Amino acid sequence: MDYNTVRKRELRINNLKLAKRLARDYDPLRKTIILLPGGGGSLLERSEEKYDNPNPGSFEYEEVWIDLGIFKPARDAHKLEIQDDGRDKGDKIIIPNGPLDFLVKPYDGTKKFFKLRDYNYIGYGFDWRRPLNECAKLLEEFLLEFKSLVMAKGEENPLKRTTLICHSHGGLIATLFLQNIFHGTNPTPSAVSQWIDKVITVATPFYANSGHIRRYYRGEKMLNMLGYKKKRLAQIMSTLPGPYIFLYLDKDTYNQDVGDLEISEYPMVDADDESIDVDPYNPLSWSRFPDWINNHYITEAKKIRRKYTRRLSKSVRDRIYHLRGVEDKRTLNRLRWKNIDGSSFDPRYDKAPIKIKNSDYGPGDGTVPAWGARLAQIPLERTYDLKKAKKHMDLMEHEETLEVIRFTIENNRLPKKMSVKNKKYLGIKSASGPTVDNFLLGIENGTISVNSKKASDPKIWRALISSMV
């Protein structure tokens, strides 16, 4: 069998295992929550052997994102590369396996909150490196498997009482799933309920991620500090089709949705002449990128955004709710892109050509500007601005967020007013900046090894993960 056939086979086997686990523990008297993590928030496992294994489901897998292998000498981040022919590096197979699960479990606070309140609950991982289309299709197949397994036991369709709660990247997967099922149709509310009860997104970058463009120039800051070469990391990131969707929105989508976007002008301009709009999806702008960028992936990402922003029927829109962070007023709401010769860019000496003025900051969660975290077609009255939950990575484990989600599921509407005085973050707190810096310096100079106690400090890992997810 060819590589792609084997990889898809393994993904479907893994999907079925997860559906069986949810169906096995399913209580028909309880509502069901399926969590879709943020980008980089899903655990990825890599086969120990090449793809040419004739026995379905017989591969042995090991974690590749994230565990101690991220450090030297394993350099697991290098293994995330996708080759030009679409194969994972070394002709191995990489599959998702739920949310991250090493020392720090980033969504453990979410899980505990809903389990304690008697919901059926599972975390559904996806390969965030791959195109949204693939991830959305696998989600659809997972839901169908879950439905089939439950109804085979004589129970009612469980999807009628199932809510997808989606952090960041996960919200894009869920939105595209809805488009795949319902675009171009005008289903009745009853028909929609055969597939889903609600979709609730939290900090989803529908239109913008403030910092992602820099990764194509200089890699990932935290991995760079762990000793990875900036150029090599930037090159690896350019091989991953999925995250290209995090570039600021294309001009066509802006023109389509500007009336409802809560911004008055196109948010990406030339750094030296702000009267010039610069669309990162327009081929005329591509000379500004380093020469390792993948133009085809940029084009495909634009098609995906044009697809998930298409207008849905009211019966589907009525199932969608958005929660967003607005309290970090230092979130970049506008980007200024310098017109450089990308072919000569060298991460060893050159800074990313993104310039910033004080006027470019505004409300958001530090990663996603508030205006980018809501689909334009969803009314503002079905968008909740979090009042205490602040940081992008922490939103999904904050008690305020979770209480708003619970209220919405139980009452089929957002709360008009939610008391936040005593609401708190339920996850593991991050180590301080100086503590993390000293740790990374110790790793780099060899005074701290991967086997040392500090290398397994959950607070340090929380800080590392928060910067990369």
Side-chain angles (χ1 to χ4, degrees), residues 102 378 428:
F102 176 74
I378 303 303
I428 295 176

Side-chain angles (χ1 to χ4, degrees), residues 287-331:
S287 62
R288 302 177 185 228
F289 279 117
D291 57 10
W292 48 78
I293 209 76
N294 190 308
N295 295 337
H296 173 68
Y297 289 165
I298 296 178
T299 300
E300 291 302 304
K302 177 181 175 178
K303 290 179 182 177
I304 290 295
R305 180 177 285 111
R306 301 293 293 146
K307 185 175 180 180
Y308 72 63
T309 57
R310 296 179 307 195
R311 194 163 185 84
L312 290 159
S313 68
K314 184 178 183 301
S315 59
V316 181
R317 296 198 310 271
D318 285 350
R319 307 275 173 158
I320 302 172
Y321 301 84
H322 299 317
L323 279 61
R324 61 184 180 179
V326 298
E327 291 302 314
D328 189 335
K329 309 302 182 184
R330 295 287 292 176
T331 303

Side-chain angles (χ1 to χ4, degrees), residues 95-290:
I95 61 172
N97 191 9
L100 293 179
D101 187 15
F102 176 74
L103 290 178
V104 173
K105 301 179 181 181
Y107 299 97
D108 212 32
T110 314
K111 178 180 179 180
K112 290 177 180 176
F113 180 91
F114 288 110
K115 283 281 192 179
L116 285 172
R117 287 157 181 80
D118 290 331
Y119 287 85
N120 301 306
Y121 177 95
I122 201 165
Y124 178 81
F126 57 91
D127 189 345
W128 44 269
R129 305 170 309 139
R130 295 285 179 172
L132 290 187
N133 265 335
E134 175 180 301
C135 299
K137 185 61 179 175
L138 285 166
L139 173 63
E140 177 185 337
E141 292 176 5
F142 167 75
L143 293 174
L144 285 173
E145 293 280 12
F146 169 51
K147 172 184 173 181
S148 176
L149 290 165
V150 169
M151 294 185 73
K153 297 189 292 185
E155 303 290 353
E156 186 183 15
N157 177 5
L159 300 184
K160 296 171 70 173
R161 288 163 55 84
T162 293
T163 295
L164 300 180
I165 59 172
C166 318
H167 184 220
S168 193
H169 194 162
L172 301 180
I173 307 298
T175 306
L176 191 57
F177 153 73
L178 293 177
Q179 289 283 359
N180 288 342
I181 301 299
F182 297 114
H183 175 70
T185 67
N186 188 25
T188 64
S190 176
V192 178
S193 73
Q194 297 301 310
W195 278 99
I196 205 70
D197 183 22
K198 296 176 185 66
V199 170
I200 302 175
T201 74
V202 179
T204 291
F206 294 108
Y207 299 102
N209 178 307
S210 294
H212 184 70
I213 190 171
R214 290 183 177 84
R215 291 173 171 143
Y216 294 123
Y217 291 95
R218 297 177 60 83
E220 169 58 53
K221 180 179 178 181
M222 199 60 70
L223 292 176
N224 295 341
M225 294 177 71
L226 287 172
Y228 288 80
K229 301 297 184 184
K230 295 174 184 175
K231 183 175 182 178
R232 184 71 189 114
L233 271 181
Q235 290 172 332
I236 289 171
M237 290 181 177
S238 75
T239 73
L240 313 181
Y244 277 88
I245 196 65
F246 296 145
L247 294 171
Y248 264 36
L249 80 166
D250 57 279
K251 198 69 181 288
D252 289 340
T253 300
Y254 171 79
N255 290 334
Q256 167 191 281
D257 289 344
V258 62
D260 296 305
L261 267 180
E262 303 173 88
I263 52 175
S264 58
E265 56 188 358
Y266 187 67
M268 195 159 189
V269 298
D270 184 87
D272 298 313
D273 185 350
E274 61 183 84
S275 69
I276 301 174
D277 295 339
V278 186
D279 178 352
Y281 295 91
N282 189 324
L284 295 176
S285 304
W286 293 350
S287 62
R288 302 177 185 228
F289 279 117

